[in-house]
């Protein structure tokens, strides 16, 4: 999905809320940073345009309370709210609360999010074992080819509709010094279907029978994308094809010696936890949904190495997520479990929240591992009024691999594919006549004998790029990342841009 983004960034950075006493800046800390006290408010309105999602308008805001500043740059309370919506049904509606002081000696995080997504990415299972062809969903720019389908299939070829509701409550307590216990519960509600082609096409992008052509970037409802084919061929079971509701319980341990949470300059963060997820789905009944109860294990290790005071930091993260019991529905394997919800979405693997530069959800499997490496540099620090700012750069490298692939029924898939071809060929010509499927090699990587190429499953997916950071008071961080995938199967575009809040890890 090609994006044309027009971004208006107006940061309201000088709105400290006054308490009974006028806020005053206290002495500097051991690193020479001026200590913040009292309340602080930051807001970021934005305007954007996306060729598939339409115009977007919204805003996000973060309120911090530092108290007397004795724990700065740690905050006492943080309340984050975000609301954004587009003209074509993509939105973010989220409220998040985080505090280590509401419950004494415990960290509590609450998060409620609703995220409708009219065109969620779906590139098939097992990474490189599924073939990606940019021409199938990218419209030809050559004027001589306008309205001629050729390789072009549909802008929704690698998409499906996914609306997600999430509620999470997570708590952390201390066992001994830097060793913590963690517990959490929540619910994930997935509402899934094929893309609404009529809505996405709009009134202008229609078929013209006089010329037997489609308007620019129009989509033919009879062209089935990867998601529809996976359902038709039985790769995605009908009991998971439309989503479901999944309450979960999470337990784990954490070691945390970081000097701060938002932008650590030294220390280690490591966690290991289990997530048990149940399932229920009114459409197919409790018995069918019970087959998707499952247990997953996650391990994460982050290390922050100071190179020069707090100005230059070498940071890296390694992690893995694996299914150890039961069956996880395909749409939940795109979700990267975490002990604390700090951003709107945790996609794994591929995209702004896991592997920058690689297409969102490109690596879809039962289990995976990943690594992120960054060299964080605070280039400029300055004050405006009583607010403390820095501008930073962060070159990075991201990598992901599959550890638990899907076991595809090659014989069954080939039989379903052959049946699909026959039905499309013998169908009566009409406006709704199904379009014959593409050659099997356009969906799956095949070896020289025409069999599924299993050697490509475990090949690493890699990308690299550069991040620009603009931060206020150490905690309110605007990130602009540029990244490029090493392999065109991960992203044929030469670069991707991401604009988000906070650091990746």
């Amino acid at each position: 999905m090609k994006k044309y983004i027009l971004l208006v960034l107006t940061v309201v950075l000088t709105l400290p809320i006054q308490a009974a006493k006028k806020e005053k800046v206290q002495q500097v800390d051991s690193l020479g940073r001026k200590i913040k006290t009292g309340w602080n408010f930051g807001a970021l309105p934005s305007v954007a345009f996306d060729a598939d999602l339409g115009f977007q308008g919204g805003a996000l805001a973060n309120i911090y309370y530092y108290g007397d500043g004795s724990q700065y740059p740690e905050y006492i309370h943080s309340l984050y709210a975000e609301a954004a919506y587009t003209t074509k049904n993509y939105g973010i509606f989220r409220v998040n609360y985080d505090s280590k002081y509401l419950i004494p000696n415990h960290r509590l995080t609450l998060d409620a999010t609703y995220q409708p997504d009219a065109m969620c990415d779906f590139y098939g299972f097992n990474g490189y074992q599924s073939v990606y062809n940019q021409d199938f969903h990218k419209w030809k720019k050559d004027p001589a080819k306008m309205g001629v389908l050729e390789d072009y299939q549909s802008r929704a070829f690698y998409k499906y509709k996914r609306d997600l509701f999430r509620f999470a409550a997570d708590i952390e307590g201390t066992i001994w010094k830097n060793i913590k216990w963690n517990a959490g519960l929540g619910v994930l509600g997935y509402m899934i279907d094929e893309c609404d082609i009529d809505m996405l096409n709009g009134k202008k992008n229609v078929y013209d029978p006089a010329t037997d052509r489609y308007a620019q970037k129009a989509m033919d409802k009879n062209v089935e994308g990867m998601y529809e084919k996976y359902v038709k061929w039985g790769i995605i079971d009908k009991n998971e094809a439309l989503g479901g509701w999944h309450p979960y319980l999470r337990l784990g341990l954490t070691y945390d010696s970081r000097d701060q949470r938002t932008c650590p300059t030294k220390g280690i963060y490591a966690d290991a936890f289990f997530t048990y997820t149940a399932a229920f789905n009114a459409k197919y009944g409790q018995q069918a949904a019970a087959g998707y109860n499952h247990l997953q294990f996650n391990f994460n290790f982050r290390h922050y190495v100071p190179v020069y005071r707090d100005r230059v930091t070498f940071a890296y993260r390694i992690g893995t997520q694996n299914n150890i019991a039961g069956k996880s529905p395909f749409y939940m394997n795109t979700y990267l479990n975490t002990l604390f919800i700090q951003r709107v979405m945790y996609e794994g693997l591929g995209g702004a929240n896991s592997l920058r530069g690689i297409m969102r959800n490109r690596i879809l499997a039962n289990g995976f591992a990943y690594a992120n490496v960054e060299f964080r540099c605070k280039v400029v620090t300055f004050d405006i009024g009583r607010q403390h700012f820095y501008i930073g750069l962060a070159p990075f490298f991201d990598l992901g691999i599959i550890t638990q692939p899907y076991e595809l029924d090659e014989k069954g898939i080939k039989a379903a594919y052959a049946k699909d071809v026959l039905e499309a060929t013998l169908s009566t010509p009409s406006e709704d006549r199904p379009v014959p499927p593409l050659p099997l090699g356009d969906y799956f990587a095949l070896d020289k004998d025409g069999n599924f190429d299993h050697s490509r499953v475990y090949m690493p997916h890699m990308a690299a790029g550069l991040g620009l950071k603009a931060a206020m008071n150490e905690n309110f961080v605007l990130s602009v990342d540029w990244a490029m995938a090493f392999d065109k199967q991960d992203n044929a575009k030469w670069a991707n841009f991401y604009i988000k809040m906070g650091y990746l890890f």
Side-chain angles (χ1 to χ4, degrees):
M1 178 179 63
K2 186 171 184 178
K3 292 187 175 181
Y4 302 92
I5 302 177
L6 305 175
L7 188 69
V8 177
L9 298 177
T10 307
V11 185
V12 181
L13 298 173
T14 54
L15 298 176
I17 301 174
Q18 302 297 317
K21 289 201 234 176
K22 197 174 186 181
E23 177 194 357
K24 70 177 182 179
V25 178
Q26 297 183 350
Q27 69 274 15
V28 298
D29 64 11
S30 60
L31 294 175
R33 298 175 297 201
K34 293 180 180 179
I35 295 174
K36 286 293 298 180
T37 61
W39 295 89
N40 186 255
F41 174 75
L44 179 68
S46 66
V47 177
F49 173 75
D50 186 287
D52 289 313
L53 303 180
F55 287 96
Q56 174 180 311
L60 57 86
N62 215 153
I63 300 174
Y64 297 100
Y65 180 62
Y66 294 99
D68 62 6
S70 59
Q71 76 296 316
Y72 183 80
E74 289 292 329
Y75 48 79
I76 294 177
H77 302 287
S78 170
L79 180 63
Y80 178 90
E82 182 175 2
Y85 205 76
T86 77
T87 56
K88 292 189 178 179
N89 195 32
Y90 175 86
I92 298 170
F93 303 93
R94 180 184 177 219
V95 177
N96 179 278
Y97 172 78
D98 184 34
S99 176
K100 290 177 64 177
Y101 299 90
L102 185 67
I103 302 176
N105 302 317
H106 292 79
R107 179 185 178 187
L108 174 68
T109 299
L110 303 174
D111 186 274
T113 300
Y114 173 62
Q115 186 180 23
D117 192 343
M119 298 186 77
C120 184
D121 299 271
F122 180 81
Y123 299 98
F125 291 170
N126 293 342
Y128 288 135
Q129 194 172 31
S130 296
V131 174
Y132 167 67
N133 189 325
Q134 182 189 33
D135 292 336
F136 291 165
H137 71 122
K138 299 293 185 182
W139 187 263
K140 302 290 186 182
K141 291 185 177 180
D142 185 353
K145 297 180 179 180
M146 286 298 186
V148 181
L149 291 179
E150 295 186 349
D151 291 338
Y152 173 76
Q153 299 294 309
S154 168
R155 288 186 291 122
F157 187 80
Y158 294 111
K159 311 290 182 182
Y160 69 104
K161 183 177 181 291
R162 184 193 70 183
D163 293 350
L164 172 63
F165 171 80
R166 175 186 68 203
F167 174 78
D170 301 294
I171 190 170
E172 177 182 81
T174 301
I175 297 176
W176 182 69
K177 292 185 177 180
N178 294 326
I179 302 175
K180 319 282 186 178
W181 61 266
N182 303 88
L185 54 85
V187 63
L188 296 169
Y190 288 86
M191 293 144 277
I192 292 173
D193 206 343
E194 301 173 8
C195 290
D196 187 341
I197 301 301
D198 289 334
M199 182 273 293
L200 294 169
N201 272 340
K203 296 180 179 180
K204 294 182 180 180
N205 297 327
V206 296
Y207 174 72
D208 184 358
T211 61
D212 193 27
R213 290 186 177 185
Y214 288 85
Q216 184 177 0
K217 297 186 179 180
M219 293 179 283
D220 184 352
K221 291 191 294 184
N222 297 320
V223 174
E224 296 176 326
M226 287 282 279
Y227 166 76
E228 291 94 328
K229 290 299 184 186
Y230 268 55
V231 174
K232 179 182 285 189
W233 298 342
I235 305 172
I236 293 176
D237 189 84
K238 70 174 185 178
N239 290 333
E240 60 180 322
L242 298 179
W245 288 82
H246 302 272
Y248 66 83
L249 177 65
R250 186 168 291 147
L251 297 171
L253 294 174
T254 300
Y255 174 84
D256 190 356
S257 63
R258 296 172 298 172
D259 58 343
Q260 59 175 295
R261 276 175 279 177
T262 302
C263 180
T265 62
K266 61 181 179 179
I268 291 174
Y269 174 90
D271 64 43
F273 59 91
F274 294 91
T275 303
Y276 175 75
T277 305
F280 58 92
N281 187 324
K283 183 173 179 60
Y284 297 111
Q286 183 64 32
Q287 185 175 1
Y292 295 96
N293 298 343
H294 61 279
L295 181 67
Q296 291 178 315
F297 173 74
N298 286 74
F299 172 76
N300 299 279
F301 181 86
R302 311 176 198 171
H303 192 192
Y304 306 90
V305 183
V307 178
Y308 175 68
R309 299 184 63 185
D310 69 329
R311 301 295 294 266
V312 181
T313 304
F314 175 70
Y316 65 91
R317 175 180 74 165
I318 57 175
T320 186
Q321 175 171 300
N322 292 277
N323 200 59
I324 60 177
K327 181 180 180 180
S328 175
F330 85 93
Y331 50 83
M332 292 201 71
N333 287 335
T334 68
Y335 192 85
L336 182 60
N337 294 326
T338 183
L339 284 176
F340 291 99
I341 305 296
Q342 293 180 302
R343 58 176 61 96
V344 65
M345 193 59 183
Y346 289 84
E347 301 273 15
L349 288 177
N353 294 315
S354 55
L355 304 180
R356 294 155 291 188
I358 295 174
M359 298 176 299
R360 183 173 63 144
N361 299 336
R362 175 65 177 109
I363 308 167
L364 181 53
N366 286 310
F368 49 79
Y370 54 91
N372 309 104
V373 179
E374 295 188 352
F375 204 80
R376 300 174 180 176
C377 307
K378 295 179 181 178
V379 179
V380 180
T381 61
F382 56 94
D383 289 352
I384 298 178
R386 293 178 177 175
Q387 314 305 320
H388 316 316
F389 301 86
Y390 72 78
I391 304 297
L393 293 175
F396 58 82
F397 170 78
D398 296 343
L399 179 147
I401 59 173
I402 290 173
T403 57
Q404 287 183 316
Y406 286 97
E407 296 182 4
L408 301 180
D409 179 7
E410 183 174 347
K411 184 177 179 180
I413 293 171
K414 287 183 175 179
Y417 170 80
K419 180 181 178 182
D420 194 7
V421 172
L422 182 62
E423 290 178 349
T425 304
L426 298 179
S427 61
T428 303
S430 69
E431 183 180 349
D432 297 324
R433 181 182 183 180
V435 176
L438 300 164
L440 192 63
D442 286 332
Y443 299 100
F444 303 98
L446 305 177
D447 60 23
K448 61 181 181 180
D449 298 320
N451 299 317
F452 287 9
D453 188 352
H454 299 287
S455 67
R456 296 185 61 81
V457 173
Y458 298 102
M459 292 177 59
H461 301 251
M462 296 180 287
L466 178 67
L468 173 66
K469 314 295 177 181
M472 179 185 75
N473 300 326
E474 299 292 332
N475 290 308
F476 191 85
V477 181
L478 174 64
S479 294
V480 181
D481 292 336
W482 168 89
M484 180 175 65
F486 286 12
D487 194 312
K488 289 185 178 181
Q489 278 290 299
D490 284 327
N491 198 331
K493 294 192 297 184
W494 71 275
N496 264 11
F497 285 93
Y498 307 97
I499 300 173
K500 63 183 186 297
M501 298 302 299
Y503 284 85
L504 179 62
F505 62 95

